[in-house]
Amino acid sequence: MKKIGIPSNNLLHPNSHFGTNYVDYIQKNYIDGITNAHALPIVLPIGDPKLAKNYIDSVDALVLAGGQDVSPFYFGEDPQINLHETDSDRDAFEVALVLEAIKQEKPILGICRGLQIVNVALGGTLYQDLNSQYQGLKVRHNQYPTKWYTPTHRLILKRVSWLQNFLDDQSLVNSFHHQAVKKLGDGLQLDAVSTDNVVEAFSDESRRIYAVQWHPEMLLMKHPEAQKLFDTFVLK
């Protein structure tokens, strides 16, 4: 059984349940996607980037989940006025994990923020806020309050890629993001866009890097066919 490392997120603010007893966590839907693909999820708590080698040594592949905005520090910009919350500890840890997984030639899957982290780790850039920075925006890329599991916009597949295993040009996906890829990182190839040309997926088969901007783990709640994305990745 393959072991899939999935870095955690963490609560950064006090709340009514935990107070200031901060916790690391990962949403159950990611775990479901991995276990349903007959792999073993290993949650990696946010830690010192120097531990990246030890963590990647212990797993067969890496899945990067959604969460906070990625700091513009990684692509040489100051924070734009509409930037949301960032987490420098999580950014540094996940970038280190991506680079170590590439070094060890282990597969990587990025989901939403995970796609963005992979992109900046490889020298790409991001729109810090689509609504104010992206010209020609026509699609609602944050569908809230529409339910997480509801597909809301169409994809356009740009080339023959790993996506053909489970998607076509009639496929709909969900959408919960306001940051997006601006310039692709080194060696990455564009696989899919939204109908307003926002990057929705990229890959690099030679390094077994795969990433999507939507949330297949949320779609699993009502659309079991979304499992095919996790199944395809675990076989890589």
Side-chain angles (χ1 to χ4, degrees), residues 71-73 77-84 86 128:
S71 171
F73 164 81
E77 294 181 8
D78 287 333
Q80 198 257 2
I81 194 168
N82 292 314
L83 183 72
H84 294 181
T86 60
Q128 295 186 46

Side-chain angles (χ1 to χ4, degrees), residues 64-203:
L64 297 145
Q68 300 91 340
D69 281 3
V70 177
S71 171
F73 164 81
Y74 287 95
F75 44 97
E77 294 181 8
D78 287 333
Q80 198 257 2
I81 194 168
N82 292 314
L83 183 72
H84 294 181
E85 181 177 47
T86 60
D87 180 350
S88 59
D89 291 336
R90 187 180 182 193
D91 287 345
F93 184 59
E94 291 189 342
V95 167
L97 290 173
V98 169
L99 296 178
E100 184 62 32
I102 292 171
K103 183 178 179 180
Q104 294 193 25
E105 300 181 347
K106 293 182 177 179
I108 299 169
L109 171 63
I111 295 174
C112 195
R113 168 195 156 89
L115 170 145
Q116 296 161 12
I117 278 286
V118 171
N119 192 58
V120 301
L122 294 176
T125 64
L126 302 176
Y127 293 103
Q128 295 186 46
D129 176 65
L130 281 171
N131 288 338
S132 60
Q133 293 185 310
Y134 184 79
Q135 300 298 314
L137 192 68
K138 296 179 180 178
V139 171
R140 184 180 177 91
H141 288 274
N142 187 341
Q143 69 188 53
Y144 181 83
T146 299
K147 290 292 188 181
W148 298 334
Y149 50 72
T150 303
T152 59
H153 77 74
R154 188 164 63 88
L155 294 178
I156 299 173
L157 302 183
K158 300 298 288 184
R159 68 187 188 101
V160 175
S161 73
W162 68 297
L163 298 178
Q164 265 74 17
N165 289 317
F166 47 88
L167 295 176
D168 58 36
D169 274 334
Q170 301 306 310
S171 296
L172 298 173
V173 296
N174 54 1
S175 195
F176 294 92
H177 67 106
H178 84 110
Q179 291 192 307
V181 170
K182 185 175 185 180
K183 180 179 76 75
L184 280 173
D186 297 338
L188 301 175
Q189 297 189 66
L190 181 63
D191 294 334
V193 296
S194 57
T195 53
D196 56 357
N197 216 39
V198 171
V199 172
E200 289 286 339
F202 60 66
S203 62

Side-chain angles (χ1 to χ4, degrees), residues 22-72:
Y22 301 116
V23 298
D24 277 24
Y25 69 94
I26 194 68
Q27 290 93 333
K28 183 178 181 296
N29 293 338
Y30 293 103
I31 301 303
D32 291 342
I34 294 169
T35 56
N36 291 345
H38 308 293
L40 183 68
I42 306 292
V43 179
L44 311 178
I46 296 171
D48 191 326
K50 293 177 182 177
L51 297 174
K53 182 181 185 305
N54 302 85
Y55 278 124
I56 298 300
D57 283 343
S58 69
V59 298
D60 300 301
L62 179 68
V63 172
L64 297 145
Q68 300 91 340
D69 281 3
V70 177
S71 171

